[in-house]
Amino acid sequence: MIILGIESTAHTYGVAILKDQEVLANEKRSFTTPTGGMVPAKVADHHVEHCDHVLRAALNKAGITPAQIDLIAYARGPGLGHTLRVGAAMAKSLALLLKKPLAGVNHCVAHLEIGRLLTPAKDPVLLYASGANTQVIAYEAGRYRVFGETLDIGVGNFLDGFGRALSLGFPAGPAIERLAKKGAEQGAELLRLPYSVKGMDVSFGGLLTKLKAMIRSEKHPPEQLCFSVQETVFAMLVEVAERAMAHCGKQELVLGGGVACNQRLQEMCRVMAEERGGKSYAPPNEYLVDNAAMIAWNGLLLHEQGMTLTPEEADIRPYERTDDVDAER
Ligand code: ATP
Ligand code: FE2
């Protein structure tokens, strides 16, 4: 079966083509600005401008013609209404032209399921750490459930805000990782920073305010700040992920989201999982960041459950919660 997937929840417009479990193409264009600010209508303009080339690139790479497509999957939510509409309109048009069914995919669930496809994990807890999202999700008692999440900003947006205060450019995550590594190699002393975990939830706003004041005081080198920030916020993420694993009795952790590209976070997750006799897995970076392959794969899973949509039913759900998704597994 050939599945075409479309991702358009935020700054990435992606089109992927899968032949059953095999990814034939996973193309994308991402909207960027020097500061990282996003005006939804501008991002949607970007997606309208690039949706045709990205589609063509994916078809060429996969070596298929549109007539060979059996199913069209698109990200239904959560995300920006403006950008979701671009992907949904493309998906519906293709479905009408090709007379093929549609599948409306939840973006957060897609991060979990692509981890199950690409790693040996069978029934993991997902630590989803991206720019806008920070959630701990697992499939439990017949539903995908959110066990913990950020109470304010996503960890990636936190890192980008901290990086902006240090003039590291956007996105700041990779630059923070490099400086933190240097700090660790230089034996930087860990600074005591606010650590905010409430049950299985986390928050970063207070820490960001504190860090901005510390940066203004110019008392600490950037390497020490980045090292201390990573150790602190990743410990928070690892703590809530571990609590969710213990609560659900699950032994596997899977990572998702752009922040999960961070090698130190991956290492801390591995250590935690191994200490409890479990395993932590991360798919390749291309599938950690927002991508259309995960949308196509989840479309196939929905199709297998008979949960496809007609163009009339193919809506967008900008505020869809992970626990509202109807899914069997
Ligand atoms: P979503 O819409 O799913 O929230 P997003 O578009 O906000 O996604 P992603 O593309 O998944 O986010 O990730 C982008 C974030 O990942 C940015 O905040 C960026 O700074 C962060 N990031 C990327 N690489 C690293 C890294 N090596 N270490 C830490 N953070 C990183
Ligand atoms: Fe995402």
Side-chain angles (χ1 to χ4, degrees), residues 75-96:
R76 200 178 204 179
L80 303 171
H82 289 71
T83 60
L84 285 168
R85 252 171 239 129
V86 180
M90 171 69 95
K92 282 187 179 208
S93 310
L94 287 170
L96 279 169

Side-chain angles (χ1 to χ4, degrees), residues 7 9-12 38 78 107 111 128-134 155-160 170-177 230 234 256-263 288-290 294:
E7 158 62 28
T9 55
H11 58 38
T12 298
M38 278 205 292
H107 177 95
H111 275 290
Y128 174 25
S130 70
N133 291 294
T134 301
V155 64
N157 288 353
F158 158 79
L159 290 171
D160 293 333
F170 176 85
I176 294 169
E177 180 170 14
Q230 278 200 177
F234 294 166
V259 178
C261 297
N262 189 292
Q263 292 297 313
L288 285 172
V289 299
D290 286 349
M294 68 182 190

Side-chain angles (χ1 to χ4, degrees), residues 3 5 7 12 14-28 61 106-119 126-130 254-262 266 281-298:
I3 313 109
E7 158 62 28
T12 298
V15 176
I17 297 169
L18 265 59
K19 182 170 186 222
D20 303 318
Q21 303 200 351
E22 185 191 351
V23 180
L24 301 181
N26 187 27
E27 297 295 311
K28 64 173 185 175
K61 181 106 186 255
N106 177 283
H107 177 95
C108 305
V109 168
H111 275 290
L112 197 164
E113 291 299 332
I114 195 74
R116 291 213 304 148
L117 175 67
L118 298 176
T119 75
L126 169 75
L127 173 59
Y128 174 25
S130 70
V254 146
L255 304 185
V259 178
C261 297
N262 189 292
Q266 291 192 9
Y281 301 98
N285 287 1
E286 174 187 354
Y287 303 99
L288 285 172
V289 299
D290 286 349
N291 67 91
M294 68 182 190
I295 304 298
W297 170 240
N298 279 259

Side-chain angles (χ1 to χ4, degrees), residues 12 39 119 164 178 206 209 261 290 316:
T12 298
V39 177
T119 75
R164 187 177 313 156
R178 278 193 298 279
T209 306
C261 297
D290 286 349
I316 58 164

Side-chain angles (χ1 to χ4, degrees), residues 122-236:
K122 291 197 172 60
D123 182 23
V125 167
L126 169 75
L127 173 59
Y128 174 25
S130 70
N133 291 294
T134 301
Q135 294 190 336
V136 179
I137 302 169
Y139 190 81
E140 187 71 359
R143 298 198 85 74
Y144 294 97
R145 298 177 194 272
V146 178
F147 288 91
E149 63 191 317
T150 178
L151 299 173
D152 45 35
I153 52 176
V155 64
N157 288 353
F158 158 79
L159 290 171
D160 293 333
F162 164 64
R164 187 177 313 156
L166 276 177
S167 307
L168 296 181
F170 176 85
I176 294 169
E177 180 170 14
R178 278 193 298 279
L179 287 166
K181 192 154 180 264
K182 242 170 129 185
E185 284 162 5
Q186 292 164 354
E189 195 184 326
L190 185 71
L191 297 165
R192 281 184 73 90
L193 296 173
Y195 183 97
S196 189
V197 169
K198 300 193 172 73
M200 282 187 261
D201 294 329
V202 290
S203 74
F204 302 104
L207 175 56
L208 184 56
T209 306
K210 162 102 182 160
L211 286 165
K212 285 180 177 166
M214 289 173 81
I215 291 168
R216 277 195 302 274
S217 78
E218 296 185 359
K219 279 203 199 119
H220 305 284
E223 291 81 358
Q224 186 185 22
L225 284 169
C226 290
F227 167 71
S228 304
V229 161
Q230 278 200 177
E231 295 302 305
T232 305
V233 298
F234 294 166
M236 288 163 53

